[in-house]
Amino acid sequence: MPVNVWAFAAITVPLVATPGASTAVVLRNSIAGGVRSGVATAIGANTGSICYGLLTAFGVAAALEHWPTVWLALRVGGTGYLAWLGLRSLSRALTYQQPDTTARAIAPPAPLARSAREGFITNALNPSLATFYLLVIPQFVPPGVPFAPSALMLTAIHVTLAITWHLSWAAAGGTLAVTLARTRPRRILEAISGVALLALALKLAL
């Protein structure tokens, strides 16, 4: 019996389209640093997904069943990281000032490595993503079907859907970056982002 790709896609599409931690970070970084920053964040986030796909494909999913403390570590780490990002956004909401036009024109490009790192850490410490890869994906590989190639194929489907979604948000955020660079809109957006990230952190904690 082959892998049911359509059933997997039917479950994956709404999960990808539901706003989560990675989407929030991609949007925030694209608004702060433009499309390039959002794209770097999206690449970092989906690199985290690929890492989980590789772990699943090569048997770590079964091993983790014997060490439940790994899930606790993911939950604590993910909660703390999202809370830190949320508090940083709230701090910017209170202190942000519109940059001088001349200074902005000669400013160096946004640090893409930092954006990619933030995206990667967000997904790597996301227990919901870990659960999806390590517990849900194996359920779509029927007995008797080579597990590793099947898990890698399902990973490719998920990553393709997710990065398409993230890149759409990066483009949207980058397009609005100039408008939202003004003090009042940017402070409002940072406040909304901060509250959203703290809410996601609380959701993970509970």
Side-chain angles (χ1 to χ4, degrees), residues 1-61:
M1 179 180 178
V3 176
N4 193 335
V5 172
W6 295 110
F8 177 75
I11 289 178
T12 304
V13 169
L15 289 176
V16 167
T18 301
S22 57
T23 302
V25 174
V26 168
L27 180 60
R28 190 201 65 173
N29 285 356
S30 64
I31 290 171
V35 176
R36 291 170 69 248
S37 182
V39 170
T41 308
I43 291 172
N46 286 280
T47 300
S49 297
I50 291 171
C51 289
Y52 273 122
L54 292 172
L55 289 174
T56 300
F58 296 105
V60 177

Side-chain angles (χ1 to χ4, degrees), residues 3 7 9 48 51-52 74 78 82 99 117 120-121 138 154-155 176 188 190 205:
V3 176
C51 289
Y52 273 122
L74 283 170
L82 289 178
R117 184 171 64 249
F120 178 82
I121 295 174
L154 296 177
T155 296
L176 295 172
I188 292 173
E190 290 286 3

